[in-house]
Amino acid sequence: MIAAVLLFAIALALSAFFSGSETGFYRVTRARLVIAALGGDWISKALLWTASNPSLFVATALVGNNVANYLCSAAIVMGVVAWLPGSATAEFIAPILLAPLIFVYGELLPKSLFFRAPNRLLRRCAPALIVAGVIFAPVIVVLWMFSRLIELVGRQSPPQIRMVLARRELGQLLDESQAVGLIQPTQQSIAQSALSLGGQPVKTFMSLAARYPKASESMSPAEALALAQRHNRMLLPVESADGKRTIVGYIRTSDCLFADAGKLPVQSLLAVSESDTYLATLARMVATDQPMARVMNLKGQTTGFITLRGLQQALLAD
């Protein structure tokens, strides 16, 4: 009887451990793990690696919970056999009577605790989770291979899954920072817009090349300025004067005001790919101090134009 009670207590503790750590894994703030990992903390490094490979942790928690449930069932049967041998009714009623206890202390309470303090509790549980991963390694490998098969069939790669998790976690971090006063609501709004727009292709924000007004290399500054004023543009791409209409650069209207009468102040134009993301393009234009760029397809053809001001306005308007 004592052995059954002891086994039941161990099984209940294992159930609480794996159920709670699973909730903590999905609630942990990855930004804190990154900061701690950069500081040399090996536990944070291990958790960060696990967060980037979620299928391995899920497999560990799944196996652990199944082992805990099996031990609970075995302990109940051992206890009933030792206390009331040969009683079929007791074997049927005992699991029903103990189910609320298992649910509250093996599932509900640990999940609630880890939900409230995921970073602290998961960090304390990390060494035990590593040991469990080593013990359950043969089964975990099989489950991991099965999850990879599902990913291949569903055409959902792990990098895409990690990106979704990162955006969600960054959004939660911004909400928490705004709640405690670390950032202003306007800053939070801009950051949320950056997360929303960041992965979109830059071609979504371009103006089509065919509809965009262009100056000619043969124009005088006054003619180019008149064209810009007519279309209400501060920046104009410039085409070659050889009849091929090749884009050779761009001009600023402000430069045309002070340019020599016979020379158009053409500047080199940054080129980006249609597949480049919004955030990468914005960062590149800011870093190179380029107010305008042309968008090119895989064939090297110019399909559109974007401006730094237009990208910034999209960020504020989202």
Side-chain angles (χ1 to χ4, degrees):
M1 186 65 182
I2 296 177
V5 173
L6 183 60
L7 182 61
F8 181 79
I10 294 174
L12 191 63
L14 288 175
S15 178
F17 172 77
F18 287 109
S19 297
S21 59
E22 186 176 6
T23 299
F25 175 76
Y26 290 110
R27 284 281 297 171
V28 70
T29 305
R30 191 175 304 187
R32 296 184 183 180
L33 293 180
V34 172
I35 294 172
L38 291 174
D41 182 61
W42 71 271
I43 293 179
S44 297
K45 290 181 180 179
L47 289 174
L48 188 62
W49 181 85
T50 305
S52 299
N53 299 273
S55 57
L56 294 177
F57 177 85
V58 171
T60 303
L62 179 64
V63 174
N65 270 315
N66 276 278
V67 170
N69 292 334
Y70 175 79
L71 292 178
C72 274
S73 301
I76 293 173
V77 172
M78 287 174 58
V80 171
V81 171
W83 188 28
L84 297 172
S87 176
T89 304
E91 292 180 7
F92 175 77
I93 295 178
I96 297 177
L97 295 176
L98 292 174
L101 179 67
I102 297 173
F103 174 73
V104 172
Y105 292 101
E107 295 284 343
L108 186 60
L109 182 60
K111 285 181 179 293
S112 178
L113 293 175
F114 274 83
F115 184 86
R116 294 176 180 274
N119 298 285
R120 182 171 69 253
L121 293 179
L122 189 62
R123 191 180 184 282
R124 291 179 179 177
C125 293
L129 286 171
I130 294 174
V131 172
V134 173
I135 295 174
F136 301 146
V139 182
I140 291 174
V141 169
V142 175
L143 293 175
W144 177 78
M145 293 176 63
F146 182 71
S147 69
R148 291 288 295 170
L149 178 62
I150 294 177
E151 289 168 0
L152 292 174
V153 172
R155 297 180 181 179
Q156 180 68 46
S157 64
Q160 292 174 320
I161 296 173
R162 289 200 293 269
M163 179 60 69
V164 171
L165 289 174
R167 288 178 182 174
R168 184 192 64 187
E169 291 161 356
L170 285 173
Q172 292 174 349
L173 184 61
L174 289 171
D175 292 338
E176 293 174 3
S177 299
Q178 195 274 329
V180 299
L182 293 178
I183 61 174
Q184 298 298 319
T186 303
Q187 294 172 316
Q188 182 194 17
S189 177
I190 293 174
Q192 293 283 13
S193 297
L195 290 176
S196 175
L197 299 175
Q200 296 185 30
V202 72
K203 67 178 181 180
T204 307
F205 307 90
M206 73 179 185
S207 298
L208 294 177
R211 301 179 182 179
Y212 207 97
K214 307 174 190 66
S216 174
E217 219 176 3
S218 61
M219 286 184 176
S220 66
E223 291 173 333
L225 184 60
L227 176 65
Q229 290 175 337
R230 187 161 63 249
H231 292 278
N232 194 26
R233 299 282 182 175
M234 300 293 293
L235 303 165
L236 284 179
V238 180
E239 294 178 332
S240 61
D242 56 6
K244 296 182 180 180
R245 306 186 69 177
T246 305
I247 302 298
V248 295
Y250 78 98
I251 56 170
R252 303 173 189 255
T253 54
S254 57
D255 294 338
C256 291
L257 292 172
F258 307 100
D260 296 337
K263 186 177 181 181
L264 202 61
V266 181
Q267 300 187 45
S268 60
L269 186 62
L270 179 68
V272 299
S273 172
E274 286 183 336
S275 60
D276 288 347
T277 63
Y278 166 89
L279 202 56
T281 304
L282 177 62
R284 185 180 175 189
M285 294 182 71
V286 170
T288 56
D289 194 26
Q290 292 289 333
M292 189 177 197
R294 60 173 172 171
V295 183
M296 305 182 69
N297 59 19
L298 295 177
K299 298 179 180 180
Q301 301 170 330
T302 301
T303 56
F305 299 94
I306 54 172
T307 63
L308 180 60
R309 182 181 179 184
L311 294 181
Q312 292 171 337
Q313 288 177 339
L315 185 66
L316 297 174
D318 186 73

